[in-house]
Amino acid sequence: MILTNPAAEDVPLPRDNWQRSSWSKAPLRWQLAIVTAVMVAAAVSVMTIVAYWTVSTSLNRTVDSNLTTTAQSVLTRSEDPEFQKEIHRELAVFKNYNPDIQIQFFPPGAAQGIGDDIVLVVEGQVIRGETSMTLRNQGDERVIAMNNPAGSTVVLSQDLGPTYTLVSSLGMVLLIIAGLGTLMAIAAGMVVSTTGLRPVTRLQRAVEHVTATDSLEPIEVHGRDELAQLTRSFNDMLESLDASRRRQTELVADAGHELKTPLTSLRTNIELLMMVSKSPTPNFSSADLHDLEKDVIAQIDELSTLIGDLVDLAREDAKQGEMELVDLEDTMASSLERVRRRRPDVQFTFERAEWFLKGDSFALGRATVNLMDNAAKWSPPNGVVRLSMEPINEHSIHVKVADSGPGIPNDERSKVFERFYRSVQARSMPGSGLGLSIVKQVIERHNGTIEVRDSDDGGTLMQITLPGGSTPEAGQASARIASR
């Protein structure tokens, strides 16, 4: 017995998982706005802190500098004998000019200071001559003590309240600026995200339109940025899908048309055979019955060939097959052996050459078999089909298949590679009209070309141009060159 906890499904997700889930569900516009606001707020905060610290430090240094300069001025003045006679009057004059500074003066050797009452902490070291200057904070005051070589010491104390008030006001202003900057960052993030995502929204609507209507119309491209490039790539995909759909539609329509005729004829012949088998007194002779059975077998063979060609054509449309290094000479030799077994009444000659290329060995074998079968079909009894491999240069080769048949008229040469096309002469012979179409697709997929010419004895010459090399290494290198 398995025990389960009924409340297990109600256990809340961990907080971090919940936050990630909520963030991933938020609209992209809000995500961009929030990220922009956080980044700007962080930048403003750092700038605010740096500005506050810089100004505060600068003000404190200014206070210290002013106190130091003032103390040196007083000590310099104290070297005048008149100053020693009129110390109280001199200090009073100093207070008139510096009302925010308290002053206490120690003549040389004096233990008691003259002037304001300033609490001394470490200033005794200066008075005793142990050090030349001290600087410290006393509550909200800044206290400096300094002596001179004559032994006089001055202690100054300045109230830092106004400075602290100024720094606090500055901090408040910077804080307000930081808050306003964050709000403006949120607004700017919304504007930027809305403007920046407008092409994405347009692309999304186009995708939804394609999904809803099954229409593959291209999307209008605006600008030259990355989103415009994405739109162009999407349009290329739509164009590829549309071409694939058209090929599929044409293949289905053509296949249905081509299958209808042999199926109708086959059905008629089978119905005749059924009538003959059920009739107690058949009106067919043994010869007629034999011809009918032979005709049924021929129609079944025709259907099998047509279906096989359709499968090959569909496979070639899908561009399946692993690309590998192919020995073209070996491929053609294998195809020749297959065709020879089927057509012992035709002679074949083969001029070989070593050649390698990167490609689909199965597809190339099927294409060469189709070419050889086609040449043998049109050659007369005891005719000769001539095969040759003639390198053009280091990276290209001509593969020629020539027959001794009636040839192909010039006005039909551009049509023989069309699907299901059959000339007037070919309609009386077996075939589906797909063989040469498959050949052309295979050759073009391997970056080659095929053209129809006249053979030396008036027949047809199929000339194929393929890339590659005379060694495996050259074949690999040629494939890399063709892919650039």
Side-chain angles (χ1 to χ4, degrees):
M1 179 176 180
I2 301 176
L3 299 178
T4 58
N5 183 6
E9 297 180 355
D10 298 331
V11 176
L13 291 173
R15 182 174 179 81
D16 57 344
N17 290 341
W18 177 83
Q19 290 175 345
R20 286 197 297 268
S21 178
S22 300
W23 174 257
S24 62
K25 292 179 180 179
L28 183 58
R29 182 181 294 105
W30 279 104
Q31 293 185 26
L32 290 176
I34 292 173
V35 169
T36 303
V38 169
M39 296 298 294
V40 173
V44 171
S45 300
V46 171
M47 292 177 62
T48 301
I49 294 172
V50 171
Y52 179 82
W53 178 82
T54 302
V55 173
S56 176
T57 303
S58 177
L59 288 176
N60 288 330
R61 289 179 178 175
T62 301
V63 170
D64 291 346
S65 177
N66 290 337
L67 283 175
T68 301
T69 302
T70 304
Q72 290 174 346
S73 177
V74 171
L75 289 174
T76 302
R77 175 64 180 160
S78 69
E79 295 176 358
D80 188 351
E82 294 296 328
F83 182 88
Q84 299 293 337
K85 297 178 182 179
E86 303 279 346
I87 292 179
H88 291 283
R89 186 178 66 82
E90 292 288 342
L91 295 181
V93 173
F94 176 85
K95 294 286 290 183
N96 288 334
Y97 284 101
N98 302 278
D100 59 334
I101 299 178
Q102 292 182 324
I103 183 171
Q104 191 175 30
F105 183 77
F106 291 84
Q112 186 69 31
I114 302 171
D116 297 320
D117 186 14
I118 301 176
V119 178
L120 304 179
V121 179
V122 297
E123 288 72 21
Q125 300 174 5
V126 181
I127 297 170
R128 293 190 296 271
E130 297 174 0
T131 184
S132 62
M133 186 184 72
T134 60
L135 192 62
R136 66 181 177 85
N137 283 341
Q138 179 70 36
D140 290 341
E141 296 181 347
R142 189 70 167 166
V143 180
I144 186 174
M146 184 180 293
N147 61 17
N148 62 6
S152 298
T153 302
V154 62
V155 180
L156 302 178
S157 175
Q158 182 173 356
D159 184 15
L160 297 179
T163 302
Y164 289 157
T165 301
L166 179 61
V167 171
S168 299
S169 299
L170 175 64
M172 185 60 65
V173 171
L174 291 175
L175 186 62
I176 294 173
I177 292 175
L180 292 176
T182 302
L183 293 177
M184 292 179 63
I186 295 175
M190 289 297 297
V191 173
V192 170
S193 61
T194 301
T195 304
L197 292 177
R198 190 170 296 155
V200 177
T201 303
R202 186 166 55 247
L203 183 61
Q204 178 187 1
R205 288 198 299 266
V207 173
E208 292 173 350
H209 176 72
V210 170
T211 304
T213 63
D214 203 26
S215 173
L216 299 179
E217 297 179 0
I219 306 170
E220 185 177 357
V221 180
H222 299 275
R224 298 181 179 180
D225 55 8
E226 289 79 1
L227 291 174
Q229 183 60 41
L230 176 62
T231 305
R232 293 189 186 94
S233 299
F234 188 78
N235 285 339
D236 293 340
M237 182 187 69
L238 291 180
E239 184 178 355
S240 178
L241 288 174
D242 189 41
S244 177
R245 177 189 290 178
R246 288 197 303 269
R247 289 195 302 268
Q248 182 182 15
T249 302
E250 292 172 0
L251 179 61
V252 171
D254 292 340
H257 175 74
E258 293 296 324
L259 287 170
K260 184 183 296 184
T261 301
L263 280 174
T264 302
S265 178
L266 181 62
R267 178 178 178 176
T268 301
N269 289 334
I270 291 176
E271 288 177 349
L272 286 174
L273 286 174
M274 293 172 63
M275 291 174 58
V276 170
S277 63
K278 293 179 181 179
S279 176
T281 56
N283 297 324
F284 282 81
S285 63
S286 299
D288 292 337
L289 187 59
H290 176 72
D291 292 339
L292 186 59
E293 292 174 349
K294 185 178 179 181
D295 193 19
V296 169
I297 293 175
Q299 289 164 352
I300 292 175
D301 290 339
E302 183 181 356
L303 278 174
S304 299
T305 302
L306 178 58
I307 292 172
D309 286 343
L310 288 173
V311 171
D312 290 342
L313 189 63
R315 183 185 294 114
E316 193 57 38
D317 278 343
K319 295 186 178 181
Q320 296 179 355
E322 182 180 357
M323 305 300 282
E324 58 186 359
L325 188 64
V326 179
D327 185 342
L328 187 60
E329 180 188 5
D330 183 65
T331 300
M332 289 194 63
S334 299
S335 300
L336 179 58
E337 289 301 318
R338 292 172 57 188
V339 177
R340 270 178 173 162
R341 287 194 294 268
R342 295 201 294 260
R343 294 301 305 270
D345 58 322
V346 177
Q347 297 181 13
F348 293 88
T349 63
F350 185 19
E351 296 181 11
R352 300 168 178 260
E354 290 189 355
W355 198 258
F356 301 87
L357 74 156
K358 196 71 176 294
D360 183 351
S361 59
F362 177 79
L364 286 171
R366 184 172 66 245
T368 52
V369 165
N370 285 351
L371 282 177
M372 296 176 192
D373 268 335
N374 189 70
K377 180 175 67 174
W378 288 101
S379 294
N382 299 320
V384 180
V385 174
R386 299 171 297 282
L387 313 177
S388 65
M389 299 174 64
E390 302 173 3
I392 308 171
N393 50 46
E394 294 181 356
H395 305 295
S396 301
I397 191 173
H398 278 161
V399 177
K400 299 179 180 180
V401 180
D403 61 46
S404 303
I408 301 176
N410 291 331
D411 57 344
E412 292 187 3
R413 291 182 180 181
S414 61
K415 302 178 182 179
V416 295
F417 298 108
E418 296 178 3
R419 296 179 179 182
F420 300 104
Y421 176 79
R422 303 185 71 187
S423 62
V424 177
Q425 298 90 338
R427 290 171 190 171
S428 60
M429 303 182 68
S432 63
L434 291 174
L436 292 180
S437 177
I438 295 173
V439 170
K440 185 178 181 181
Q441 286 187 260
V442 171
I443 298 305
E444 290 180 347
R445 183 154 66 92
H446 288 78
N447 300 315
T449 59
I450 182 171
E451 55 183 327
V452 182
R453 295 188 173 187
D454 293 326
S455 65
D456 295 336
D457 54 358
T460 300
L461 170 65
M462 293 289 182
Q463 178 174 286
I464 298 172
T465 305
L466 285 172
S470 57
T471 63
E473 294 77 12
Q476 292 280 12
S478 179
R480 288 192 292 270
I481 294 173
S483 63
R484 292 176 183 174

